[in-house]
Amino acid sequence: MTTDSRSSAQDDNDEIDLRQLLGTLLDYKWWIISITLAFFLVSAAYALLATPIYRADAIVQVESKVPSLPGLADVSQSLGMSGGAAEASTEIALITSRSVVGSAVDALKLDVSIEPNRFPLIGNYLARKAAARDPEALADVRFGMRRFGWGGEKLDIFQFDVPRAQLAREMTLVVGEKGSYELLDDDGNRLLKGRVGEPATGGGVKMQVALLRAHPGMRFDLMRQRHLTVVNDLQRDIGVSESGKDSGILTLAYESADPVLAQSFLQQVAQAYVRQNVERNSAEASAQLAFVKEQLPNVRSQVDAAQKALSAYQTKANSVDLSLQTKGLL
């Protein structure tokens, strides 16, 4: 009897009292509403203020190489020895090699980092809105703060050579009046003063600005990064995969906050890869042609010697084969 009463009491305690639960929710309703509203506002703010990431894709077709011996491809397929996977892995390694990625870095000057100084938190959002309205227009200064860029600013550097000690160190370019500018180091000391379109030198830095569009007083953060560091980072960021097994189609993908940069980078990588393949095939064809030209005189001398030996044998044996002599003359 004792055991049954305890079991009955335990079953009663395990039951959920909906009235008590509802009462608890009503007692803490303002806490629940406040927390839910706070999470909603934070999520909405992040969705509006977060920098969007764009993805660019490219497709490269890998041509299968003709086997050196006739019928070798058929024999390999019959034995199940297909080299498609190995060939795709080789081409993927070539696409992500330092030579290919490095040529794209040099073409786009990706080792020079240029970032406009934005207002904290909402600066990037306001700049994106201004660019969406008119990509070529320069947004007006807000709140009287000229040191920040509010949208439409552009800086194109043709030359930016820094000493080894200044590599990977942030510098500041301050926009002046009528195309002039100043370059400051990370301590705020002036390194040089220049003008758009004219080379400037100072503090061991050689610089030439090709295009500058910004309000006077606005600042850009500059950094000349190490070339090898940039190449290694981009090798990890670029994605290359084969579309289907033994299809010979490679898909390239790259993500960046700048859609134009993402597209241009993949285009440069694909062009460098194709150019490298053409140069490699041209070098192989040139080497084969040179080898043939080198061996041709020896082969001709051997053929002449064989014809002379054949003629001497026929004269000695008093045998004449018109068809064979005709072929030899031809």
Side-chain angles (χ1 to χ4, degrees), residues 109-255:
K109 296 182 177 64
L110 298 181
D111 53 349
V112 178
S113 174
I114 303 175
E115 291 292 338
N117 193 9
R118 301 294 188 196
F119 190 80
L121 295 179
I122 63 173
N124 290 327
Y125 171 71
L126 296 177
R128 289 196 301 271
K129 286 188 62 178
R133 288 194 299 267
D134 190 353
E136 300 298 330
L138 188 60
D140 297 331
V141 177
R142 297 173 180 263
F143 315 121
M145 298 183 179
R146 291 185 170 272
R147 65 176 300 164
F148 298 109
W150 302 98
E153 298 82 14
K154 189 172 183 180
L155 174 61
D156 187 8
I157 297 179
F158 175 75
Q159 181 184 12
F160 189 47
D161 299 331
V162 302
R164 185 179 298 272
Q166 294 287 345
L167 288 175
R169 296 183 64 177
E170 191 173 273
M171 304 179 188
T172 303
L173 186 143
V174 182
V175 182
E177 298 286 346
K178 298 180 180 179
S180 63
Y181 61 88
E182 292 182 351
L183 184 65
L184 312 178
D185 61 7
D186 52 354
D187 294 327
N189 302 319
R190 189 172 75 177
L191 296 175
L192 58 85
K193 187 174 182 179
R195 188 173 295 275
V196 177
E198 300 177 359
T201 305
V205 179
K206 296 180 180 180
M207 186 175 185
Q208 185 173 356
V209 176
L211 176 64
L212 178 58
R213 185 177 65 190
H215 293 290
M218 191 261 177
R219 302 189 172 204
F220 290 89
D221 297 330
L222 304 182
M223 181 185 298
R224 179 62 184 266
Q225 303 180 16
R226 301 181 186 275
H227 187 272
L228 183 59
T229 302
V230 177
V231 172
N232 291 336
D233 293 340
L234 291 175
Q235 282 181 298
R236 291 191 297 266
D237 294 340
I238 187 173
V240 185
S241 59
E242 186 178 11
S243 301
K245 185 178 180 181
D246 299 339
S247 63
I249 303 297
L250 300 181
T251 302
L252 286 68
Y254 177 70
E255 296 181 351

Side-chain angles (χ1 to χ4, degrees), residues 43-108:
S43 302
Y46 177 79
L48 289 175
L49 302 179
T51 302
I53 302 298
Y54 300 90
R55 177 189 175 98
D57 297 317
I59 295 177
V60 175
Q61 181 180 2
V62 179
E63 295 290 345
S64 300
K65 294 184 178 180
V66 179
S68 56
L69 296 177
L72 183 59
D74 298 334
V75 175
S76 301
Q77 292 179 0
S78 63
L79 296 178
M81 299 166 51
S82 176
E87 185 176 354
S89 301
T90 302
E91 300 303 325
I92 290 174
L94 289 175
I95 291 176
T96 57
S97 62
R98 288 182 180 177
S99 60
V100 173
V101 178
S103 63
V105 172
D106 295 335
L108 299 176

